[in-house]
Amino acid sequence: MPTPLPSLPPLPTVTRLASVTVVRHGESEANVRYRRAVETGDLSVPEGRSEDTPLTGRGEEQAAALGRWLAAVEDGPELVVCSPYARARRTWEIAAGEYGERAAPPVVVEERVRDRENGVFALHSPPAWRAADPQEWARRERSEEWTYRPPGGESLADVALRVRGLLGDLDAVAAGRRVLVVAHDAVALAVAYVLEGLGAPVPDRPQVANTSVSRWHNAGGRLVPGVWNSTGHL
């Protein structure tokens, strides 16, 4: 048997960013449809693209509450990085509208914070996925969630790779600034993993609530966790 390698704690990621805050988009029609499919066994798959899935009325209310909270905090964001997906862009559009006469921070739309891509199973709920390809679903069930990649899609590890590159670029172009990322649950998890440092253990996949806030602040050149998956502002 191979000799086990010595285990070191994660090597901290050094950064000049003042803080990073990640917000998941408000509740979307896909979120509601997936929950109902799991409860009822509905096998239908809607037409269209995952990128175009809109918010529900509740999701828009959540986005407005987020905007009121952001506009009121003293250490709010100075730069927003937003997913190109409609549900994330609409979340920020509504939130920014709550700033009133005070100017909302500038926003850049960045494809590296798009949602995890499910490839040929895009828009499939778990029951629909299982029915469409039982063999692939069984392979998914046998695999580690962090590394499982659906045909034509991405693993969570793939998402972390693009997020790592983005955080490095932000360190170069937004040093000293407070950054807000408006994106998806997979992106929030990837940010947490990357900021844990090189050699961090693969995380479990905790639930990330719609419009929840997760935040890291700079302490001695390292972004350390403050809050995770907070919904108190709602």
Side-chain angles (χ1 to χ4, degrees):
M1 296 181 62
T3 303
L5 294 175
S7 179
L8 294 174
L11 301 177
T13 300
V14 178
T15 182
R16 294 167 293 173
L17 296 172
S19 68
V20 171
T21 302
V22 182
V23 171
R24 186 186 180 192
H25 59 81
E27 181 186 74
S28 72
E29 290 186 0
N31 296 147
V32 174
R33 185 172 62 251
Y34 286 11
R35 286 197 300 267
R36 289 176 179 169
V38 170
E39 293 169 358
T40 66
D42 181 17
L43 303 181
S44 62
V45 179
E47 296 182 356
R49 306 187 310 162
S50 174
E51 297 94 310
D52 301 327
T53 301
L55 298 181
T56 63
R58 181 186 180 196
E60 295 195 346
E61 292 172 359
Q62 291 170 334
L66 170 70
R68 290 190 293 271
W69 177 75
L70 288 171
V73 297
E74 293 183 359
D75 58 347
E78 299 171 297
L79 173 67
V80 178
V81 179
C82 187
S83 162
Y85 284 21
R87 52 192 179 274
R89 295 178 69 151
R90 181 59 177 158
T91 296
W92 175 243
E93 179 184 4
I94 294 172
E98 294 295 327
Y99 275 72
E101 296 181 359
R102 177 184 169 193
V107 58
V108 293
V109 176
E110 170 57 50
E111 60 87 21
R112 283 177 289 182
V113 294
R114 69 188 184 275
D115 204 358
R116 175 186 181 182
E117 296 179 352
N118 279 320
V120 298
F121 297 109
L123 294 176
H124 283 62
S125 67
W129 187 334
R130 188 185 301 113
D133 193 336
Q135 187 173 11
E136 180 60 31
W137 181 263
R139 186 176 78 87
R140 179 183 186 273
E141 293 288 278
R142 292 191 304 269
S143 303
E144 295 290 335
E145 185 174 16
W146 186 254
T147 56
Y148 170 73
R149 183 183 292 118
E154 296 179 296
S155 67
L156 289 171
D158 293 329
V159 177
L161 185 62
R162 51 179 162 90
V163 165
R164 187 184 299 278
L166 171 67
L167 290 172
D169 288 348
L170 283 172
D171 179 64
V173 302
R177 300 174 78 177
R178 300 184 297 272
V179 177
L180 170 66
V181 179
V182 182
H184 311 270
D185 56 347
V187 171
L189 185 61
V191 169
Y193 170 70
V194 172
L195 294 183
E196 187 68 19
L198 295 178
V202 171
D204 294 328
R205 188 173 186 178
Q207 180 64 36
V208 180
N210 289 117
T211 337
S212 64
V213 170
S214 300
R215 191 168 190 263
W216 296 259
H217 62 275
N218 197 307
R222 180 186 180 188
L223 287 170
V224 299
V227 297
W228 169 260
N229 196 30
S230 172
T231 55
H233 55 287
L234 300 178

